């Protein structure tokens, strides 16, 4: 798909099309495209693809209509759904590279960082995104561990990581499969394992957790739930999250930044983290829904929502 679009600095495929067991040829393949200047990119895209609605809206309305809506109301991603190419359906979201990196590193809106905490297929690699996402994955593991009990399985860990970006998502109320997280983890378990095994081994070496094999050749995880371990996990979270969990950074005489915490219990830190993520995801999902409706037009938005609601309804019935 990127071959028929203007050049991008980063591109990845995400979503259900990555499931190894998914053989549905009618499913829409989802892309995230990172570009330096979305307005210029959309203008160039019109020369190649005159029927792409969001690019027309950027061209006609400029900053006041699309980019302004996305920046002030949405999360900075302009989606073009139901794009047909080579007999297949695609949806691509265009984002400014700066906005992508900011969210992946700092969890400002907890939208794109959540996408990259789950398996993706990199089509156009970018060194900045790769290095920044490594920090994102370590933070995701830390957040999941803080929210999990003392004993759990590898699958439980991936389910908790996956659920971080769905906690508070308004789409989960009516437009998403109720078993979405379970299906993602089951369908992409091996990909999750490849992504997170280095961080599990790192945390085992730091004695933050213990790993053992189960009869089904999965990893069983044990972790200490005392306050010192909780502080170590919180210290791996983005600074904006740490500050809201009453974290502070003290510079000692050596010049080193030492993480410290005012949190009295692990449970308090976990509850605070859950509230923060729920609020960020709720706000971002609501804003993206509104800006997405404006960006792709009423017909496409209604068509896309109807498809999501139909899929969700089947999972509930």
């Amino acid at each position: 798909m990127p071959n028929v679009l203007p050049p991008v600095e980063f591109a990845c495929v995400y979503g259900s099309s990555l499931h190894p067991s998914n053989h549905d040829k009618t499913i829409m393949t989802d892309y995230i495209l990172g570009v330096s200047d979305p307005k210029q990119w959309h203008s160039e895209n019109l020369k190649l693809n005159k029927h792409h609605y969001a690019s027309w809206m950027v061209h006609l309305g400029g900053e006041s209509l699309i980019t302004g809506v996305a920046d002030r109301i949405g999360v900075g991603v302009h989606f073009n759904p139901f794009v047909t190419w080579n007999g297949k359906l695609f949806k691509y979201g265009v984002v400014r590279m700066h906005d992508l990196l900011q969210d992946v590193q700092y969890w400002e809106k907890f939208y794109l960082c959540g996408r990259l905490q789950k398996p993706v297929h990199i089509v156009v690699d970018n060194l900045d995104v790769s290095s920044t996402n490594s920090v994102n994955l370590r933070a995701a593991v830390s957040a999941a561990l803080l929210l999990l009990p003392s004993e759990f399985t590898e699958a439980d860990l991936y389910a908790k990581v996956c659920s971080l970006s769905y906690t508070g998502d308004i789409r989960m109320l009516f437009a998403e499969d109720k078993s979405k997280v379970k299906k993602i983890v089951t369908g992409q378990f091996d990909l999750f394992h490849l992504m997170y095994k280095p961080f599990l081994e790192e945390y085992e070496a730091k004695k933050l957790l213990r790993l053992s094999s189960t009869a089904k050749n999965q990893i069983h995880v044990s972790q200490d739930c005392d306050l010192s371990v909780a502080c170590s996990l919180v210290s791996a979270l983005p600074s904006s999250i740490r500050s809201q969990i009453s974290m502070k950074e003290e510079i000692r005489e050596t010049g080193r930044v030492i993480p410290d915490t005012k949190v009295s219990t692990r449970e308090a830190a976990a509850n605070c983290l859950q509230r923060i993520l729920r609020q960020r995801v709720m706000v971002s999902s609501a804003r993206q829904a509104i800006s997405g409706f404006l960006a792709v037009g009423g017909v496409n938005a209604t068509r896309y929502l109807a498809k999501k609601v139909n899929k969700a309804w089947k999972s509930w019935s």
Side-chain angles (χ1 to χ4, degrees):
M1 177 65 182
N3 292 333
V4 298
L5 298 173
V8 300
E9 295 184 27
F10 171 78
C12 71
V13 179
Y14 69 94
S16 55
S17 62
L18 292 178
H19 290 216
S21 58
N22 195 335
H23 303 296
D24 185 358
K25 302 301 181 182
T26 65
I27 197 167
M28 190 155 49
T29 302
D30 300 318
Y31 282 86
I32 291 293
L33 309 178
V35 303
S36 59
D37 185 340
K39 186 179 179 182
Q40 179 182 347
W41 187 91
H42 281 291
S43 295
E44 293 175 0
N45 187 38
L46 275 183
K47 299 174 184 177
L48 299 173
N49 304 286
K50 298 184 184 300
H51 60 288
H52 289 197
Y53 187 86
S55 291
W56 266 113
M57 295 299 284
V58 171
H59 179 70
L60 294 174
E63 293 292 332
S64 63
L65 187 56
I66 290 298
T67 307
V69 166
D71 290 343
R72 296 175 189 177
I73 299 179
V75 296
V77 188
H78 316 141
F79 281 101
N80 240 327
F82 301 110
V83 174
T84 304
W85 177 72
N86 213 18
K88 297 181 180 179
L89 274 179
F90 296 88
K91 179 183 75 176
Y92 64 83
V94 181
V95 61
R96 192 184 308 273
M97 284 296 297
H98 174 268
D99 296 340
L100 170 62
L101 292 170
Q102 285 289 108
D103 195 44
V104 171
Q105 183 170 358
Y106 299 111
W107 293 9
E108 289 184 342
K109 297 181 172 66
F110 212 89
Y111 189 80
L112 294 168
C113 64
R115 291 272 190 265
L116 294 180
Q117 286 166 4
K118 296 180 275 291
V120 298
H121 173 62
I122 304 297
V123 181
V124 178
D125 206 353
N126 181 284
L127 185 59
D128 289 336
V129 175
S130 296
S131 58
T132 303
N133 198 47
S134 179
V135 177
N136 179 36
L137 297 183
R138 183 179 288 104
V141 168
S142 300
L145 290 173
L146 193 61
L147 298 172
L148 284 165
S150 59
E151 304 278 338
F152 52 93
T153 66
E154 186 180 8
D156 293 332
L157 174 64
Y158 301 153
K160 184 60 69 175
V161 167
C162 187
S163 69
L164 296 177
S165 59
Y166 292 121
T167 302
D169 191 330
I170 61 171
R171 297 172 304 170
M172 297 302 292
L173 299 176
F174 62 91
E176 288 291 358
D177 188 333
K178 67 174 183 176
S179 304
K180 187 178 182 72
V181 169
K182 181 179 179 181
K183 288 181 179 178
I184 290 174
V185 173
T186 301
Q188 305 180 50
F189 185 88
D190 291 341
L191 297 176
F192 272 102
H193 179 77
L194 288 173
M195 287 175 68
Y196 287 103
K197 183 181 178 182
F199 301 102
L200 289 176
E201 293 175 344
E202 174 190 333
Y203 278 20
E204 182 182 36
K206 292 180 178 178
K207 301 189 183 304
L208 296 179
L209 48 81
R210 295 171 297 280
L211 307 178
S212 59
S213 298
T214 67
K216 295 182 179 180
N217 203 29
Q218 281 197 30
I219 296 175
H220 180 269
V221 187
S222 305
Q223 64 171 336
D224 293 326
C225 292
D226 57 31
L227 186 58
S228 62
V229 173
C231 291
S232 295
L233 296 175
V234 172
S235 69
L237 300 176
S239 57
S240 64
I241 304 291
R242 293 200 308 270
S243 64
Q244 288 189 261
I245 310 181
S246 299
M247 286 292 293
K248 62 180 180 179
E249 293 180 338
E250 294 185 350
I251 301 180
R252 304 291 170 86
E253 294 179 359
T254 59
R256 293 180 58 196
V257 176
I258 308 296
D260 195 10
T261 181
K262 298 176 184 176
V263 174
S264 57
T265 66
R266 179 190 178 97
E267 290 74 20
N271 290 336
C272 187
L273 171 63
Q274 201 153 30
R275 286 196 301 271
I276 294 167
L277 295 183
R278 182 181 294 112
Q279 182 180 22
R280 292 194 182 191
V281 173
M282 185 179 296
V283 171
S284 292
S285 62
R287 288 181 172 179
Q288 183 60 27
I290 295 170
S291 71
F293 183 87
L294 297 173
V296 305
V299 174
N300 273 339
T302 302
R303 180 184 174 191
Y304 181 70
L305 181 60
K307 187 174 181 179
K308 298 286 283 186
V309 170
N310 182 56
K311 186 176 180 180
W313 178 259
K314 288 180 179 178
S315 74
W316 285 92
S317 58

